[in-house]
């Protein structure tokens, strides 16, 4: 009974089972296996915090479903992207061709995303970007299998151009890290700001992830602009805000995308007081989904959620929409993609849909740090749809 089976005996057994109608389908067999989700995120350095937030968010979304999607358990395979663009393709291949994940989720860093997207396009692995905003992912490098639950760099920054003009700021200095995300974010603001009549006095850039700001801050003081527009994130954002206040520049209004202040409070509340930012999320948004999410996140992790966690949470929601439609069959890519394209995600940020290039169509809020809290002043621009320039999804 327990001796070795040869090929003929196996085939004979299958044929007999088929005659009785007992042969399981390909998927019925596969349904017993776990869905493998590869997380390509930062575990250390400047972007460790964002990486943790995304990871916690996606795990919370799946925990709310009992750790299963369409009846299948989920297994996470984690690889540190090291915030190193040069290793993006290699680390992506570790998950896609090595681990053979069903879904690829990541990264935080836009430079890493460039290499990751190339591999995702070649292998056609189902991919969700939960943070990296580089425009090309939903532009020239878009693909049927690639989705984003965060933002494009253009989308998060362009609305502030009009805000600055409306507040009477005519001359502005910009400062960021010199890499893909920094350049795209600054350019989005500058284009809108100058189109509306504003003038950029000077654009400053530091190598990533340099945080030696002193010389640049001294120059800003000498230029005396009406305002400064800055993009830094993670620990770099915290240090910039602290240094900006320490050298006495708080009389010059500081503006930026929300990445600048998220994660800074409450440790640097006094230094951050008054900073204006635009982003597709704010902690204080008053909607049922946000209240429920923030309570669940704090109960699960013992700390407050940030927008990185929201983006990870929504990546989990979007993944579930696709797999539910395919009844858990991760190989049914056409059905999964079709469902994800039509998804309406009830997010803590507010309900959003996806554009033809698979980027969220979402409100961008105007926020300001007041009394140690991120206060929502209103909507800077409603239903912002990234133009997706160069995307040719059929």
């Amino acid at each position: 009974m327990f001796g070795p089976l040869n090929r003929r005996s196996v085939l004979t057994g299958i044929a007999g089972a088929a005659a009785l109608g007992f042969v399981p389908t390909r998927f019925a067999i596969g349904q017993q296996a776990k869905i493998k989700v590869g997380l390509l995120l930062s575990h250390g350095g400047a972007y460790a915090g964002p990486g943790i937030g995304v990871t916690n968010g996606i795990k919370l979304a799946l925990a709310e479903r009992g750790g299963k999607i369409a009846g299948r358990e989920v297994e996470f395979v984690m690889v540190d992207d090291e915030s190193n663009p040069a290793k993006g393709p290699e680390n992506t291949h570790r998950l896609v061709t090595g681990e053979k994940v069903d879904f690829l989720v990541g990264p935080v860093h836009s430079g890493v995303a460039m290499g990751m997207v190339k591999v995702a396009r070649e292998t056609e692995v189902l991919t969700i970007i939960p943070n990296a905003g580089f425009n090309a992912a939903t532009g020239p490098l878009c693909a049927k299998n690639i989705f984003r639950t965060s933002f494009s760099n253009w989308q998060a920054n362009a609305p502030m151009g009009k805000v600055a003009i409306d507040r009477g700021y005519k001359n502005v200095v910009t400062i960021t890290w010199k890499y893909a995300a920094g350049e795209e974010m600054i350019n989005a603001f500058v284009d809108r700001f100058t189109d509306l009549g504003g003038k950029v006095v000077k654009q400053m850039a530091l190598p990533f992830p340099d945080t030696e700001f002193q010389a640049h801050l001294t120059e800003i003081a000498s230029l005396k602009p009406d305002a400064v527009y800055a993009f830094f994130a993670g620990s770099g954002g915290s240090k910039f805000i602290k240094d900006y206040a320490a050298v006495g520049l708080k009389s010059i209004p500081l503006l930026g995308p929300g990445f600048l202040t998220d994660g800074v409070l409450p440790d640097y509340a006094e230094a951050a007081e008054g900073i204006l930012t635009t982003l597709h999320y704010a902690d204080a948004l008053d909607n049922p989904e946000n209240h429920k999410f923030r309570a669940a996140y704090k109960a699960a992790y013992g700390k407050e959620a940030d927008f990185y966690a929201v983006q990870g949470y929504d990546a989990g929601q979007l993944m579930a929409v696709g797999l539910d439609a395919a009844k858990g069959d991760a190989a049914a890519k056409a059905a999964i993609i079709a469902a994800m394209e039509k998804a309406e995600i009830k997010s803590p940020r507010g309900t959003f849909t996806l554009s033809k290039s698979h980027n969220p169509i979402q409100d961008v809020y105007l926020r300001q740090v007041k009394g140690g809290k991120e206060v929502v002043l209103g909507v800077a621009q409603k239903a912002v749809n990234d133009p997706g320039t160069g995307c040719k999804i059929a």
Side-chain angles (χ1 to χ4, degrees):
M1 181 179 294
F2 300 109
L5 294 176
N6 59 36
R7 181 173 181 273
R8 177 174 294 178
S9 63
V10 170
L11 292 176
T12 300
I14 291 176
L20 295 174
F22 293 149
V23 174
T25 63
R26 170 192 60 76
F27 177 54
I29 296 172
Q31 193 173 21
Q32 299 171 14
K34 295 180 180 179
I35 294 169
K36 292 184 75 172
V37 178
L39 300 181
L40 183 65
L41 297 163
S42 304
H43 296 169
Y47 285 163
I52 291 169
V54 169
T55 302
N56 289 347
I58 191 170
K59 288 185 175 181
L60 178 62
L62 300 186
E64 290 179 350
R65 293 166 171 78
K68 296 182 179 181
I69 302 179
R72 296 180 64 184
E73 292 185 5
V74 177
E75 175 187 355
F76 291 101
V77 183
M78 303 175 68
V79 169
D80 185 359
D81 68 17
E82 304 173 65
S83 294
N84 186 342
K87 292 187 177 181
E90 174 191 344
N91 285 329
T92 305
H93 271 297
R94 284 176 60 189
L95 290 169
V96 178
T97 59
E99 295 289 344
K100 293 181 168 46
V101 296
D102 298 306
F103 266 88
L104 174 66
V105 179
V108 171
H109 190 299
S110 282
V112 175
M114 291 181 182
M116 186 201 77
V117 163
K118 180 180 178 181
V119 176
R121 284 165 58 91
E122 291 171 351
T123 61
E124 298 184 353
V125 64
L126 294 165
T127 300
I128 299 176
I129 300 172
N131 187 69
F134 87 110
N135 296 332
T138 48
L141 296 180
C142 71
K144 290 286 288 184
N145 60 301
I146 299 174
F147 292 78
R148 180 148 51 195
T149 58
S150 52
F151 57 91
S152 74
N153 290 333
W154 176 90
Q155 187 178 45
N157 292 265
M160 185 60 92
K162 185 175 186 305
V163 171
I165 291 294
D166 289 347
R167 287 180 169 253
Y169 305 143
K170 298 178 180 178
N171 302 293
V172 169
V173 168
T174 69
I175 183 168
T176 187
W177 281 313
K178 187 175 180 57
Y179 79 124
E183 292 172 354
E184 288 186 347
M185 291 195 189
I186 294 298
N187 289 342
F189 165 78
V190 167
D191 288 348
R192 178 70 62 84
F193 180 66
T194 55
D195 282 349
L196 295 173
K199 179 182 178 182
V200 176
V201 178
K202 185 163 186 177
Q203 292 186 253
M204 303 177 177
L206 295 77
F208 178 82
D210 187 1
T211 57
E212 294 301 320
F213 301 117
Q214 190 63 45
H216 295 85
L217 295 174
T218 300
E219 186 175 4
I220 289 171
S222 69
L223 291 170
K224 299 179 180 178
D226 295 332
V228 172
Y229 191 80
F231 163 67
F232 297 102
S235 58
S238 302
K239 187 172 186 299
F240 180 78
I241 288 171
K242 180 181 177 182
D243 290 357
Y244 192 90
V247 298
L249 285 180
K250 284 183 66 63
S251 61
I252 301 175
L254 181 56
L255 322 174
F259 323 112
L260 183 64
T261 56
D262 271 57
V264 167
L265 306 176
D267 293 344
Y268 299 102
E270 185 176 348
E273 184 74 14
I275 296 176
L276 277 173
T277 59
T278 47
L279 199 64
H280 51 285
Y281 177 71
D283 296 354
L285 287 178
D286 187 11
N287 64 62
E289 289 78 18
N290 192 41
H291 296 317
K292 178 185 173 185
F293 166 74
R294 296 194 67 82
Y297 190 93
K298 189 166 187 178
Y301 302 110
K303 59 183 177 181
E304 298 292 341
D306 56 20
F307 80 94
Y308 298 109
V310 172
Q311 294 171 164
Y313 183 77
D314 290 341
Q317 291 204 79
L318 183 61
M319 187 188 310
V321 167
L323 284 165
D324 283 345
K327 295 181 172 55
D329 186 356
K333 291 185 179 180
I336 292 171
I337 289 169
M340 289 167 65
E341 287 179 332
K342 298 174 185 175
E344 186 175 274
I345 302 297
K346 293 187 181 301
S347 168
R349 76 187 80 175
T351 300
F352 70 86
T353 57
L354 293 164
S355 69
K356 291 182 179 179
S357 62
H358 299 169
N359 194 75
I361 301 172
Q362 58 195 337
D363 293 347
V364 172
Y365 303 97
L366 178 62
R367 307 115 45 90
Q368 187 172 35
V369 178
K370 291 183 177 182
K373 296 181 179 180
E374 196 79 73
V375 176
V376 181
L377 301 184
V379 178
Q381 187 176 338
K382 285 193 68 66
V384 183
N385 186 0
D386 180 90
T389 305
C391 179
K392 296 180 180 179
I393 292 178

